[in-house]
């Protein structure tokens, strides 16, 4: 999520439509200070996610992949004060850092941090059909499985969002056959062909799969 080059299309869009305030910058700075990988959403994608959530009036949102809370802050700001973002990460130190930064940003009361492997936690989550939106941004190998759980959790009209749908172009590279790429391709084919999902892939950032649960 390094800042887009100022002379790029991404940089132009980010400056105009996704400027970061001090709380968002603080999260990026904390990630750098803690030596965390530069894998949070680009601001343009985070802003797209935020706007889509506002468009459906989302109140109850699930995120898989918290990291330091960068996307969580964009999402929490899309929710009404009584809304709730539940966000999952298997790394307790990242979750703890996210908790501190999100509280400092004033949205701590709207965020429920869960620590554990998504494969276990998603299975236990409910109620079925009780969630307005699910945003998948953790390991790519688990995507087909996460998609099935998301489909179960989403209400009719709910929104499924998946980042890294283009995987830096690897999804269309016939030479790429690593486990993550194969899993993303599989998830895209499932989403495209599932009659319960009305889906497309937006070429924002690294590609954002957007689907409406029927
Ligand atoms: C790309 S980062 C999330 C970035 C975050 N959404 C943002 O934009 O600020 C992916 C995160 O998912 C977590 N993760 C990876 N595999 C996981 C799994 N199976 N269960 C839970 N968390 C996982 C990693 O620890 C990492 O912090």
């Amino acid at each position: 999520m390094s800042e887009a080059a100022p002379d790029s299309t991404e940089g132009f869009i980010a400056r105009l439509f996704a400027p970061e305030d001090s709380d968002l910058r603080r999260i990026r700075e904390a990630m750098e200070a803690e030596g965390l990988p530069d894998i949070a959403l680009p601001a343009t994608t985070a802003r797209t996610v935020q706007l889509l959530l506002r468009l459906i009036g989302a109140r109850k949102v699930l995120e898989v992949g918290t990291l330091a809370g960068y996307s969580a802050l964009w999402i929490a700001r899309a929710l009404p004060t009584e809304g709730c973002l539940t966000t999952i990460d298997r790394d307790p130190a990242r979750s703890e850092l996210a908790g501190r930064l999100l509280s400092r940003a004033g949205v701590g009361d709207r965020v429920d941090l869960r620590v554990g492997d998504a494969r276990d936690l998603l299975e236990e989550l409910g109620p079925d059909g009780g969630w307005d939106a699910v945003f998948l941004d953790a390991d790519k190998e688990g995507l087909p499985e996460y998609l099935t759980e998301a489909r179960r959790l989403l209400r009719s009209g709910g929104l499924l969002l998946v980042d890294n749908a283009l995987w830096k172009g690897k999804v269309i590279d016939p030479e790429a056959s690593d486990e993550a790429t194969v899993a993303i391709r599989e998830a895209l084919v499932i989403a495209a062909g599932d009659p319960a999902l009305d889906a497309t892939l937006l070429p924002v950032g690294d590609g954002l799969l957007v689907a409406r649960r029927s």
Side-chain angles (χ1 to χ4, degrees), residues 39-41 63-72 88-91 94 116-119 135 137-139 146:
I39 53 173
L41 289 189
E63 173 183 64
V64 183
T66 313
L67 192 60
Y70 182 81
S71 53
I88 293 174
D89 206 291
R90 65 180 169 199
D91 184 323
R94 292 180 181 185
D117 196 297
R119 283 180 172 80
F135 172 48
D137 191 22
D139 63 293
Y146 303 156

Side-chain angles (χ1 to χ4, degrees), residues 147-169:
L147 210 69
T148 305
E149 295 297 339
R151 195 175 174 280
R152 172 180 67 78
L153 291 168
L154 284 169
R155 68 165 164 85
S156 173
L159 192 62
L160 168 68
L161 301 164
V162 183
D163 190 40
N164 307 111
L166 292 173
W167 206 222
K168 298 196 166 79

